[in-house]
């Protein structure tokens, strides 16, 4: 797995809050595609659309995830829904 850059330092760390066990979050091609999507999405979002690769319990929640859950519940005529990122 490639090392992480924190500030000006490059370190080999293990992120136990991440689901990035294949290292795709730091793949240069994936990063370019995600950055393009982020810029496209973030122009219409109130807050950043992308976040940590780990679970919401460990890494936090987002308005976009809650909005998608509400939309899915409405589409499927259910009182609520729950997203799982893996």
């Amino acid at each position: 797995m490639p090392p992480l850059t924190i500030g000006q330092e490059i370190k080999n760390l293990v992120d136990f809050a991440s689901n990035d066990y294949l290292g795709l979050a730091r793949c240069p091609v994936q990063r370019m595609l995600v950055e393009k999507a982020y810029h496209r999405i973030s122009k219409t979002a109130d807050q950043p659309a992308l976040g940590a690769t780990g679970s919401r319990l460990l890494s936090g929640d987002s308005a976009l995830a809650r909005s998608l859950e509400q939309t899915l519940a409405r589409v499927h005529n259910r009182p609520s829904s729950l997203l799982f990122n893996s």
Side-chain angles (χ1 to χ4, degrees), residues 59-75:
S59 302
D61 198 10
S62 74
L64 187 63
R66 289 190 305 274
S67 174
L68 179 56
E69 287 175 337
Q70 292 168 357
T71 300
L72 288 171
R74 195 170 49 253
V75 165

Side-chain angles (χ1 to χ4, degrees), residues 37-57:
Y38 173 80
H39 291 299
R40 187 179 70 247
I41 293 169
S42 65
K43 289 178 184 175
T44 60
D46 292 336
Q47 70 181 61
L50 306 172
T53 60
S55 73
R56 289 158 70 183
L57 175 65

